[in-house]
Amino acid sequence: MENLLLAFAVSFILTLVIGKFVLAELRKLKAGQEIRADGPTWHKSKAGTPTMGGVMFILGTGITILVLGWGEMLDGNFTHLYIFLFALVFGLIGFVDDYRKVRQHQNEGLTAKQKFILQLAASVVFLSLMRYEGLMTNELYVPFFHVTFTLNWIVYLIFAAFVIVGCVNAVNLTDGIDGLATSVTFVVMVFFAVTGALWNSYGAQALFPAAMAGGLAAFFVYNHHPAKVFMGDTGSLFLGGAVAALGFTFGTPLILIPVGIIYIVETLSDIIQVTYFKVTHGKRFFKMAPLHHHLELSGWSEAKLVAVFSGITAVCCVLAYFGM
């Protein structure tokens, strides 16, 4: 546990310091966020806020796990590094997307098809690597019911890739207001770090979420309302990859359902909105999707949304632990 607390503290300090330099550089590059034309009117004041700020916690977390996890790697345990590199691949996809948005000065970067293909390829490579390293099986554990099903590897691979791509994009969708994805994912990372600490056999895996929690806590200093910087797709896709990878390396991907309940609800609200719009030929189920925008338009402040969504995530994480 002491090592995890150290990882949290080191990552927090590193990210806080790195953030000052990254923020300054982003301002010099004029890497400002373009705001959705159909979004809440008060969001227009956020136009030009530096984006791609996810680089802050990516660097802070990466340096921390390399230094504090060096002993594990000397012993041949690279799990924490695999998780980071997997998340980093998604972060790079997001970086390309952000860069194209900034260069073209619009709110669209890579196409949905391009993102899907890149994310699917990254998922298949990661899953295959984890299986090759003996860190993943084709057994599916069902939390709360405490039963395990053995699936055909190809079936499991398809299922797992679907879960990963879905999780990554759900986290990305949650990143719509100041501090929301940061705070919700901070709680998720604390859950995995504490679980890893209590399950002694998962000590190496727990190093990554502990460092990630520290990095997100520091990033929140810059990202809380009113945000000085946005994480961009660089950060949100990285976080999505990290959350998904932890679910699989801990051997309990289905635990992502209660743990990531906010991500799921946000995604479902978007699906419901689009489906209802098409079926009713133009009518809307929500005032605006995803859900956080609907609640904003219903009078909720960004601070209230962050507090409530993070609180719900914390409660669900506690329930998830006892369901494991």
Side-chain angles (χ1 to χ4, degrees), residues 26-88:
L26 290 175
R27 285 171 174 164
K28 286 180 184 177
L29 293 172
K30 297 182 179 179
Q33 176 70 47
E34 299 293 329
I35 303 300
R36 285 175 55 177
D38 60 344
T41 55
W42 54 89
H43 278 205
K44 292 180 181 178
S45 63
K46 300 182 181 185
T49 301
T51 188
M52 296 190 285
V55 171
M56 299 177 185
F57 55 75
I58 292 174
L59 290 175
T61 300
I63 295 171
T64 300
I65 67 167
L66 281 175
V67 174
L68 298 184
W70 193 254
E72 292 283 352
M73 289 187 284
L74 289 177
D75 291 335
N77 190 341
F78 297 92
T79 310
H80 57 291
L81 186 60
Y82 291 153
I83 297 170
F84 175 77
L85 292 176
F86 174 68
L88 184 61

Side-chain angles (χ1 to χ4, degrees), residues 27-311:
R27 285 171 174 164
K28 286 180 184 177
L29 293 172
K30 297 182 179 179
Q33 176 70 47
E34 299 293 329
I35 303 300
R36 285 175 55 177
D38 60 344
T41 55
W42 54 89
H43 278 205
K44 292 180 181 178
S45 63
K46 300 182 181 185
T49 301
T51 188
M52 296 190 285
V55 171
M56 299 177 185
F57 55 75
I58 292 174
L59 290 175
T61 300
I63 295 171
T64 300
I65 67 167
L66 281 175
V67 174
L68 298 184
W70 193 254
E72 292 283 352
M73 289 187 284
L74 289 177
D75 291 335
N77 190 341
F78 297 92
T79 310
H80 57 291
L81 186 60
Y82 291 153
I83 297 170
F84 175 77
L85 292 176
F86 174 68
L88 184 61
V89 170
F90 284 93
L92 289 173
I93 295 172
F95 180 82
V96 172
D97 193 39
D98 283 333
Y99 186 74
R100 290 184 63 170
K101 291 176 186 176
V102 171
R103 286 293 300 271
Q104 297 171 9
H105 298 288
Q106 60 185 36
N107 199 42
E108 296 295 334
L110 294 172
T111 65
K113 184 177 180 180
Q114 289 172 329
K115 287 182 183 179
F116 177 76
I117 292 173
L118 290 170
Q119 291 171 4
L120 185 62
S123 300
V124 171
V125 170
F126 170 74
L127 292 164
S128 299
L129 174 63
M130 295 302 284
R131 180 174 171 80
Y132 176 78
E133 291 288 333
L135 298 169
M136 181 180 297
T137 68
N138 52 337
E139 293 185 341
L140 184 62
Y141 174 72
V142 183
F144 298 100
F145 295 95
H146 307 297
V147 294
T148 302
F149 295 98
T150 300
L151 304 177
N152 172 276
W153 168 243
I154 299 300
V155 173
Y156 187 86
L157 180 64
I158 294 171
F159 158 77
F162 171 78
V163 170
I164 291 173
V165 173
C167 180
V168 168
N169 287 286
V171 176
N172 178 243
L173 200 61
T174 304
D175 182 36
I177 61 174
D178 299 351
L180 185 59
T182 305
S183 58
V184 169
T185 309
F186 167 80
V187 177
V188 174
M189 290 299 155
V190 170
F191 164 77
F192 279 113
V194 172
T195 299
L198 296 176
W199 295 3
N200 293 328
S201 58
Y202 285 84
Q205 285 93 320
L207 179 65
F208 175 82
M212 193 73 251
L216 287 172
F219 183 69
F220 190 74
V221 174
Y222 299 102
N223 187 233
H224 71 80
H225 184 71
K228 298 181 181 67
V229 66
F230 299 139
M231 67 174 67
D233 282 1
T234 303
S236 61
L237 294 187
F238 177 89
L239 293 184
V243 171
L246 286 166
F248 281 95
T249 54
F250 272 70
T252 57
L254 292 182
I255 206 66
L256 294 176
I257 296 175
V259 168
I261 189 65
I262 292 299
Y263 308 139
I264 294 171
V265 170
E266 291 272 62
T267 303
L268 287 176
S269 70
D270 209 44
I271 294 172
I272 291 170
Q273 183 82 324
V274 172
T275 303
Y276 190 79
F277 186 84
K278 290 181 178 179
V279 171
T280 60
H281 304 290
K283 292 183 179 179
R284 299 176 186 274
F285 188 86
F286 296 102
K287 294 179 180 179
M288 185 179 176
L291 182 61
H292 59 257
H293 285 322
H294 170 79
L295 294 174
E296 269 193 292
L297 293 172
S298 298
W300 286 40
S301 68
E302 294 190 48
K304 180 178 179 180
L305 275 164
V306 167
V308 172
F309 279 28
S310 298

